[in-house]
Amino acid sequence: MEERILTFIKRELIDDDRIDLTADDDLLGSGLIGSMAVFRLIDFLEKSFSVRIPPEEMTIDHFMTVRAMSDYVRERQAVQKV
Amino acid sequence: MHYLLFHPIDRHAAASPDRTAFRCGKQAITYAELAERTNRLAHLLLAQGVQRGDRIGIYLPRSLDGAAAVHGILKAGAAYVPLDPEAPVARTRRLIDDCGIKVVFVAPALRRNFTALFAAPSPVNRVVGGDVEGVISLEWDALADYPATAPDLRILGDDLAYVMYTSGSTGEPKGIMHTHTSGLAYARLSRDLYNVQPDDVIGNHCALHYDISTFGYFTGPLAGATTVIVTDAHTKFPTSLLQLVEQERITIWYSVPLALLQMLRSPTLGERDLSALRWVLFGGEVFAPRHLRALMEHAPNARASNVYGPAEVNQCTYFHLAEAPDTDDPLPLGHVWNDTETLILDPDDGEVAEGEIGELLVRSATRMKGYWNRADLTARGFYYRERIPGNRETFYRTGDLVYRDADGLLQFMGRKDRQVKIRGHRVELEEVEAVLAAQPGVGEAAVYLREIGDNEKVIEALVVAESDWVGNPRTWIIAMGDQLPPHAVPVRIDLLPNLPRNDAGKIDRLAIREAITKSMP
C-alpha cells in the first residue's frame, strides 16, 4: 500500500518520478502537497482502497506521512468490514 | 521609544522575558529568547557582508524560524522578501533576480527545489538553514558563535523593511516596498483598533508573503501578545485547524474568508469550544453574511471585523459587527481608520458628488514607499495634492470603486481594472493573459473569471490557436503552472475560431461574460 501511495504522489501530485521520497517524509510541512492536492489524494485513497474517509477524520495525524496514511486506511478497512 | 519594527521585541524581552512571543506546532519562543536569537542572527548576516537596504529572501514553511528570520533580518538593517514555497520555482527565480537577493533563508524540507532555484546564474551567494550545492551554506547552529547583544547600527524608520510581491498587470509581479515606519504605523493602528493586550493569543493563518501576516508578526509583538503561527499542515486540514483554535485558546483570529469557510464546513465545528475568541478578523476578499452568521453562532464571545486595505497601504477601513448580520446585504468596507484620509475620485480625478461611485484613494502613515525598481508603476499608483504650496500630499490609487452611503460607510462596488481575488490572492487577469499569450501555438487569448458556487472562483480562458498548431490546450495549462502561482493558472482553456470583438476591434469582454454565464453548468 505504501508503494502505491508513494507512486501516486510522485506521478500525479508532484509530477516528478525521480524525487527522493520515503513513507516517513513529512508531506504537509514541506510544500510538497498543496491544499488542492489534498483533495486528490483523499479521492485516490477512497477509490484505490475501497474506504470512505469521513471529513471529521481528515486530520493532520492521518495524513502527515505516507506511513500514517497507510496505517489509517488499514484501520478504516478493518472498521468497514465489521 | 519605538520607531523600528523590532523595538517592541527588545522591550518585552527586558520587561517580561519569559512571556511567549511565538508558538508554532510543538515549539515556542519567549520574548527574551527571540531578542537574543535575532541579535545573533543580525551579527551573522553582517558578518556575511549584508548591508543596510539589502534584500534577504525567506523561503521557509510557516515556522518559528520564519519569525526569527523576519526580525533578525530587520536588526541587520536589511529588508526581508518572503518567497512562497508553493509557487513555481521559475517564478520565485524571477523575484530573486528582480530584487537582487543575495542571501536566502531555506529549510531542508524544501531541498527538492534548491538545485533549480539557485542554479547559476543566480544573484544568491549564501543560504541560511540548509545545504545548497555551490552556495555558501550556513546552519542555524552557527548562531552560537555570534554575540547575543544587539548590533550597533544606525537604522532609521524610513529604511526599507520588507518587499512583498503581488500580481502585476504588465505580466511581471511587482514588489510592494514598506518601511519600518509604514509597517509600525499599521501595527500601532491595528493594536489600538482591536485593543490587543499582552494576554491575547493571535491566530496567524497567513504565510509571510501575504500582507495579512503583518498582524501576527508585528502587531502581536507590539502588544506583547503571543502569536500562534498556524502550521502549513493545519491550513490543509480544517478539522485539525479547528482543534488548534480551541487548544491554543486563540483570542484574535485573522485570515482570508476561505479559511473560516473551510472550518465552517467541518462536521466537528459543533463540538469545538471557541469561547476564547473575542475577535474574528477577515480580509482580502468579501465574506458572505450568511457564512459569518453561521460562524458567529459557534463563537459566542466573538466580535467580527471586516478588514479592508490593499497591501500597498496595509489596512485603511474596518467594519465591526458585535452581533451576527441579520440580512444578506454585502458587508460594507466601513469606516476609515485613524491617521488616514480618503478621496473618492471620478475618472478625471475630480471628487465625486456625495453618494456617487468613484475610485478610492488613500493617504495614510501606513502607505508603501513605492514599487521596487518600478518608478513608472509607482508614479501611476500615486496621486499628489498640494493644498499648501511646497507640501505635497501623496495618495495611493486603490483601483477599487466605492461610494459613501447615507450612514457615512464606504461600500465596495467592484474594480476599476481587471484585478480579481481568488482564495484571497490578488490576480491581475492581464498577467495571466500575457503568460498564456506567450505559449507556443497561442494566437490570441482572453482570460476570464468564473464563479462556481459558494465563494469559489476559478480562472478559465478562450484561445484562438495559430493555424498550424496541433495539440491539446492541457499542455498550455501545465506549462503555465511553471510560471504562475497555482490559484492563477486557468483550470480550463477552450479553443475558438475567433474571439468576440466590439466595434472598436477590442476583445468584447461583456460578450464573453454573457456567453459563459449562459453556459453555466
Side-chain angles (χ1 to χ4, degrees):
Chain A
M1 184 182 293
E2 278 88 348
E3 275 311 310
R4 272 184 74 187
I5 301 176
L6 277 170
T7 306
F8 173 79
I9 292 173
K10 287 184 196 174
R11 290 210 184 130
E12 300 296 321
L13 300 185
I14 308 175
D15 196 23
D16 181 1
D17 244 346
R18 291 162 306 167
I19 192 170
D20 176 28
L21 189 69
T22 72
D24 294 307
D25 279 335
D26 173 1
L27 298 170
L28 303 175
S30 58
L32 262 181
I33 306 247
S35 323
M36 290 296 136
V38 167
F39 294 107
R40 292 178 59 197
L41 185 60
I42 289 170
D43 187 57
F44 165 80
L45 294 176
E46 290 191 328
K47 285 185 180 136
S48 308
F49 304 109
S50 313
V51 288
R52 201 187 71 79
I53 301 175
E56 63 270 24
E57 292 187 11
M58 294 174 192
T59 59
I60 296 175
D61 302 347
H62 294 154
F63 288 87
M64 194 61 107
T65 63
V66 168
R67 193 165 318 281
M69 261 178 252
S70 315
D71 290 348
Y72 169 67
V73 168
R74 287 196 195 95
E75 213 176 281
R76 285 298 303 170
Q77 285 174 329
V79 172
Q80 287 179 349
K81 264 185 205 134
V82 176
Chain B
M1 186 201 155
H2 290 168
Y3 60 91
L4 300 176
L5 282 166
F6 55 81
H7 280 161
I9 289 173
D10 293 339
R11 186 173 63 95
H12 294 302
S16 41
D18 298 330
R19 195 183 301 145
T20 301
F22 290 94
R23 260 202 307 271
C24 184
K26 293 182 178 70
Q27 295 178 298
I29 190 165
T30 65
Y31 276 98
E33 289 165 342
L34 183 62
E36 185 189 318
R37 197 167 171 76
T38 49
N39 285 344
R40 291 183 193 274
L41 191 51
H43 284 290
L44 177 143
L45 293 171
L46 293 168
Q48 306 306 312
V50 166
Q51 300 195 345
R52 187 159 72 151
D54 278 0
R55 284 77 53 210
I56 297 185
I58 301 181
Y59 191 68
L60 297 173
R62 293 170 173 83
S63 58
L64 290 189
D65 285 350
V70 163
H71 290 281
I73 290 167
L74 294 174
K75 280 187 173 180
Y80 74 92
V81 185
L83 303 168
D84 177 8
E86 291 193 20
V89 170
R91 184 185 180 86
T92 306
R93 275 193 75 106
R94 289 218 310 274
L95 302 193
I96 289 175
D97 283 340
D98 183 55
C99 221
I101 293 172
K102 287 180 277 194
V103 182
V104 179
F105 283 77
V106 297
L110 300 165
R111 64 181 180 280
R112 70 184 184 287
N113 294 337
F114 288 173
T115 312
L117 197 54
F118 301 118
S122 169
V124 176
N125 56 35
R126 280 180 178 62
V127 296
V128 183
D131 203 11
V132 176
E133 221 181 290
V135 180
I136 297 171
S137 303
L138 303 148
E139 295 298 334
W140 285 97
D141 291 350
L143 284 185
D145 302 337
Y146 294 90
T149 50
D152 183 21
L153 288 177
R154 193 142 195 98
I155 307 171
L156 275 60
D158 193 43
D159 287 343
L160 189 63
Y162 59 91
V163 182
M164 279 186 196
Y165 275 84
T166 187
S167 183
S169 56
T170 56
E172 286 295 321
K174 54 190 181 192
I176 296 168
M177 295 191 290
H178 276 286
T179 62
H180 284 268
T181 300
S182 63
L184 201 54
Y186 164 72
R188 285 211 175 92
L189 289 167
S190 55
R191 176 199 57 185
D192 293 350
L193 182 63
Y194 301 107
N195 190 23
V196 185
Q197 295 293 320
D199 58 359
D200 271 314
V201 181
I202 294 172
N204 182 89
H205 181 270
C206 283
L208 276 174
H209 61 274
Y210 200 87
D211 69 314
I212 283 180
S213 66
T214 52
F215 187 74
Y217 288 81
F218 299 132
T219 309
L222 178 66
T226 298
T227 293
V228 172
I229 300 170
V230 172
T231 69
D232 288 8
H234 281 90
T235 63
K236 288 159 194 152
F237 290 91
T239 295
S240 298
L241 187 55
L242 267 172
Q243 222 162 5
L244 182 81
V245 175
E246 177 185 82
Q247 278 166 2
E248 291 281 6
R249 310 272 313 147
I250 284 170
T251 60
I252 306 180
W253 174 267
Y254 189 10
S255 72
V256 293
L258 181 67
L260 294 169
L261 203 59
Q262 286 169 336
M263 286 194 276
L264 267 177
R265 285 178 188 151
S266 169
T268 60
L269 178 65
E271 301 157 28
R272 297 272 84 93
D273 172 13
L274 305 181
S275 58
L277 270 176
R278 66 178 192 89
W279 271 118
V280 175
L281 279 55
F282 46 88
E285 232 176 332
V286 293
F287 191 31
R290 66 179 189 287
H291 297 311
L292 180 59
R293 203 150 47 227
L295 182 75
M296 288 178 85
E297 268 173 32
H298 293 282
N301 302 318
R303 285 203 285 166
S305 184
N306 185 23
V307 178
Y308 163 78
E312 284 84 345
V313 294
N314 288 292
Q315 177 171 351
C316 53
T317 73
Y318 62 90
F319 184 73
H320 297 338
L321 295 102
E323 305 286 334
D326 46 17
T327 72
D328 283 337
D329 298 340
L331 300 175
L333 302 182
H335 308 275
V336 177
W337 76 353
N338 286 340
D339 208 3
T340 299
E341 180 191 358
T342 57
L343 293 175
I344 305 176
L345 299 188
D346 64 26
D348 301 320
D349 286 342
E351 284 198 59
V352 300
E354 193 59 43
E356 294 293 305
I357 296 171
E359 181 186 8
L360 181 71
L361 281 77
V362 180
R363 171 179 168 234
S364 173
T366 61
R367 176 179 52 79
M368 68 163 180
K369 198 95 170 162
Y371 296 111
W372 168 260
N373 202 21
R374 288 303 303 265
D376 55 334
L377 293 181
T378 304
R380 235 183 294 159
F382 286 164
Y383 166 81
Y384 304 103
R385 181 181 69 185
E386 196 166 306
R387 288 198 307 185
I388 300 162
N391 183 20
R392 193 170 78 160
E393 297 165 339
T394 307
F395 288 77
Y396 169 66
R397 298 178 184 272
T398 65
D400 286 324
L401 298 173
V402 303
Y403 74 92
R404 198 179 299 278
D405 70 14
D407 299 323
L409 299 170
L410 288 175
Q411 299 276 358
F412 179 66
M413 295 304 286
R415 286 289 300 175
K416 209 183 145 189
D417 54 18
R418 297 180 61 216
Q419 183 188 104
V420 298
K421 291 284 181 98
I422 296 178
R423 283 177 258 143
H425 301 276
R426 261 160 73 165
V427 179
E428 304 282 351
L429 290 178
E430 284 99 335
E431 180 182 5
V432 183
E433 232 158 53
V435 171
L436 177 55
Q439 302 303 319
V442 173
E444 295 170 88
V447 166
Y448 59 88
L449 189 74
R450 188 199 283 273
E451 302 203 13
I452 45 165
D454 226 19
N455 270 41
E456 298 279 332
K457 282 169 276 178
V458 293
I459 291 179
E460 298 184 347
L462 301 172
V463 163
V464 180
E466 284 170 352
S467 54
D468 56 350
W469 180 78
V470 187
N472 185 332
R474 269 223 71 81
T475 56
W476 293 327
I477 295 179
I478 292 164
M480 292 174 82
D482 291 335
Q483 295 171 55
L484 294 169
H487 54 265
V489 179
V491 296
R492 172 186 172 147
I493 298 178
D494 288 309
L495 292 171
L496 282 180
N498 46 50
L499 294 176
R501 303 243 167 212
N502 60 23
D503 296 339
K506 283 188 160 179
I507 292 174
D508 190 342
R509 304 204 177 270
L510 204 64
I512 291 176
R513 192 180 311 162
E514 276 169 12
I516 63 144
T517 314
K518 264 181 225 149
S519 70
M520 276 277 273

